[in-house]
Amino acid sequence: MSAPHDQMMRFRLTDQYQQLKSALHRHLISLIEDRNLEIDLWEPLRVERFVSEQVKLYVMQQRLPVNQRETEALATDARDELMGYGPIQGLVDDDSVNDIVVNGPNKVFIERAGKLSVAPVRFVNDAHVLRVIQRILAPIGRRVDESTPMVDARLADGSRVNAIVPPIALDGPCLSIRKFRRQPLTGADLVKSDTLSQAELDYLHERVRKRANLIIVGGTGSGKTTFLNLLSRWIPVTERVITVEDAAELRLEHDHVVRLETRPPNLEGQRAVTARDLVRNALRMRPDRIIVGEVRGDEVMDMLQAMNTGHDGSMTTLHANAPKEAVHRLELLAGFAGYAGSEANFRAQVASAVNLFVHVSRLVTGARKVMSITEVYSDGTEALLLRDLFRYDIDTEQHLDLRAAT
Ligand SMILES: Nc1ncnc2c1ncn2[C@@H]1O[C@H](COP(=O)(O)OP(=O)(O)OP(=O)(O)O)[C@@H](O)[C@H]1O
Ligand SMILES: [Mg+2]
């Protein structure tokens, strides 16, 4: 970053600048109201010109001690404030940023190339954060307030947004945006960034085409959905695929794809459509394969059943930090779903339903790795056994191919 750029960034964070910005914002709003301007119907360029002119005028009239660069910054921010996502508009536009997290007016973080850092922007106060949240949600017909303090949604551009506000969020409104990647990561990208080896990629490709049932396991933000997307795109286009997601993120280019999305309950707590409803319905739609974005509730039994009853090649993700843990998590979810059989029976069911676990992880360095590709099987005595076919060795930073060893 150049020195003037740094200075500019620091200036933007000062209270003086924030006060100036809100005064300017109020000025513009009253101007727009006085003149009855319908600027939300204007072309972006026209808005930009209008704001830029008005800001220059305002700076002159008020004899503000700001230079030309600062005036330009004010104009950009004023425009974003009127039209866009306010202080985070620049981050939304920056393709190198993949996640934006707002934990309050002065705590904005971004993730870039796997690294989380403080973003050089801030909001005026809680009300400001809330206003921007509402503006993001309005076009998709959603809003947050005391009675609906949590929203998880997908924007028109495919980005995923989560907002949570008081009284549930104790320290003020919070916003998380996981940006939609215009170009999904390809297998070649992931090999290049050493997320996995070429041998692993080839192996997974082969197994997906041959209709292995697989579960991608990993922690929050480890790359599960990214991986599921990659694997699903290898499904031959002649096959009929049904996807079930809470907020549709997968992007398949199949003719025979039917995308289903769950629906949260309405204000009376009714009319929810759950993942379980959708998986059951999907089974009646003659799918070749079913892809469930994430198994996290009582749909687990239906999904395992689907995998066990001729829908080979089905895939999902699961929140767990290792394949072994994934088995426990499946047991736990099955318990919640009312499964009353024995543990051995359940494990046998998992072993016959699932062929592979793919464990993905985000290392402390920020790098994403396929930690293991693990086969799930049964030898007749043990109901369920796990065997790593590939494993990432953190010490040597090598993706080991263990197939010959087993
Ligand atoms: N191998 C990778 N290389 C670079 N960036 C990646 C990789 N995998 C994922 N990402 C990026 O990391 C972010 C999180 O990825 P993703 O949504 O796939 O994670 P997740 O495990 O599904 O998260 P969650 O637990 O929130 O559902 C995304 O912005 C994605 O673009
Ligand atoms: Mg995900």
Side-chain angles (χ1 to χ4, degrees):
M1 260 189 220
S2 63
H5 186 83
D6 274 356
Q7 258 169 26
M8 197 59 239
M9 286 306 193
R10 273 199 295 277
F11 175 57
R12 271 178 152 149
L13 290 175
T14 59
D15 286 336
Q16 181 202 357
Y17 183 81
Q18 296 297 323
Q19 278 158 14
L20 197 57
K21 207 174 80 176
S22 17
L24 187 59
H25 185 63
R26 281 195 299 275
H27 168 74
L28 286 171
I29 293 286
S30 60
L31 203 71
I32 290 162
E33 282 173 358
D34 288 349
R35 299 192 195 168
N36 258 328
L37 303 175
E38 292 184 308
I39 75 155
D40 41 331
L41 303 177
W42 291 7
E43 294 286 320
L45 207 64
R46 189 169 164 203
V47 177
E48 201 163 315
R49 245 183 273 142
F50 168 78
V51 172
S52 160
E53 275 163 25
Q54 293 305 329
V55 169
K56 272 186 216 145
L57 265 175
Y58 183 80
V59 166
M60 277 189 324
Q61 284 163 357
Q62 306 283 321
R63 297 176 188 282
L64 298 175
V66 290
N67 63 27
Q68 192 192 339
R69 278 182 78 100
E70 291 161 354
T71 310
E72 278 164 19
L74 269 172
T76 309
D77 287 353
R79 184 206 55 205
D80 289 347
E81 198 52 48
L82 281 178
M83 304 295 291
Y85 292 177
I88 57 170
Q89 182 69 50
L91 305 174
V92 170
D93 294 337
D94 182 345
D95 277 344
S96 70
V97 172
N98 48 14
D99 281 49
I100 305 168
V101 188
V102 180
N103 292 346
N106 291 314
K107 291 189 197 131
V108 182
F109 300 90
I110 50 175
E111 194 197 295
R112 204 183 241 140
K115 291 269 188 211
L116 204 65
S117 63
V118 175
V121 299
R122 52 170 278 191
F123 291 79
V124 180
N125 52 25
D126 281 355
H128 188 197
V129 179
L130 195 60
R131 226 170 31 244
V132 170
I133 293 177
Q134 305 295 24
R135 207 181 295 147
I136 292 172
L137 296 176
I140 52 167
R142 306 281 294 270
R143 61 173 283 113
V144 280
D145 50 37
E146 272 187 32
S147 60
T148 329
M150 256 190 303
V151 168
D152 198 43
R154 181 172 42 93
L155 302 182
D157 77 350
S159 301
R160 204 176 82 185
V161 171
N162 182 278
I164 181 158
V165 302
I168 305 298
L170 300 180
D171 300 315
C174 299
L175 170 70
S176 319
I177 300 181
R178 161 130 329 137
K179 277 166 53 186
F180 175 81
R181 212 178 255 276
R182 268 181 272 273
Q183 295 294 324
L185 287 167
T186 63
D189 292 334
L190 297 188
V191 169
K192 197 163 156 233
S193 65
D194 197 45
T195 294
L196 79 175
S197 65
Q198 185 65 47
E200 289 175 313
L201 187 77
D202 294 344
Y203 179 77
L204 288 174
H205 198 161
E206 176 73 6
R207 293 301 304 263
V208 168
R209 294 190 80 83
K210 296 236 170 102
R211 312 192 60 168
N213 288 318
L214 54 89
I215 302 187
I216 296 153
V217 308
T220 307
S222 55
K224 300 182 294 297
T225 304
T226 302
F227 229 82
L228 183 62
N229 198 41
L230 174 77
L231 301 189
S232 326
R233 289 159 66 92
W234 288 336
I235 297 171
V237 289
T238 48
E239 293 185 28
R240 179 168 161 80
V241 182
I242 306 208
T243 66
V244 173
E245 295 177 89
D246 283 328
E249 291 181 280
L250 296 174
R251 276 168 290 153
L252 306 188
E253 281 153 2
H254 294 62
D255 287 338
H256 292 298
V257 65
V258 178
R259 304 190 310 149
L260 305 177
E261 198 176 76
T262 59
R263 184 172 69 189
N266 63 15
L267 288 181
E268 289 78 45
Q270 290 157 345
R271 300 185 58 223
V273 180
T274 65
R276 179 176 222 180
D277 298 334
L278 292 181
V279 173
R280 288 184 168 184
N281 199 80
L283 288 170
R284 303 190 192 108
M285 297 169 75
R286 304 179 14 117
D288 289 314
R289 315 197 192 206
I290 296 180
I291 312 287
V292 175
E294 182 178 345
V295 168
R296 61 168 124 219
D298 54 8
E299 69 279 6
V300 62
M301 297 310 296
D302 304 85
M303 186 63 188
L304 289 174
Q305 214 151 28
M307 288 175 157
N308 263 328
T309 54
H311 303 92
D312 286 342
S314 291
M315 302 184 235
T316 187
T317 76
L318 184 74
H319 199 285
N321 291 319
K324 231 187 217 147
E325 207 175 288
V327 177
H328 291 303
R329 176 113 180 110
L330 288 171
E331 279 169 357
L332 194 73
L333 293 177
F336 291 148
Y339 178 80
S342 73
E343 187 186 307
N345 268 341
F346 180 75
R347 292 172 80 90
Q349 201 173 329
V350 172
S352 81
V354 183
N355 300 116
L356 291 177
F357 283 128
V358 180
H359 175 208
V360 295
S361 176
R362 180 176 174 277
L363 304 183
V364 281
T365 57
R368 262 106 185 172
K369 296 290 174 195
V370 168
M371 300 306 287
S372 76
I373 299 175
T374 304
E375 189 174 31
V376 188
Y377 67 106
S378 169
D379 67 357
T381 8
E382 278 292 322
L384 180 146
L385 292 161
L386 298 172
R387 171 168 57 211
D388 286 349
L389 302 177
F390 295 88
R391 189 188 311 134
Y392 181 71
D393 186 72
I394 296 189
D395 296 330
T396 59
E397 302 186 350
Q398 296 286 325
H399 296 276
L400 308 176
D401 185 341
L402 306 169
R403 285 175 295 175
T406 53

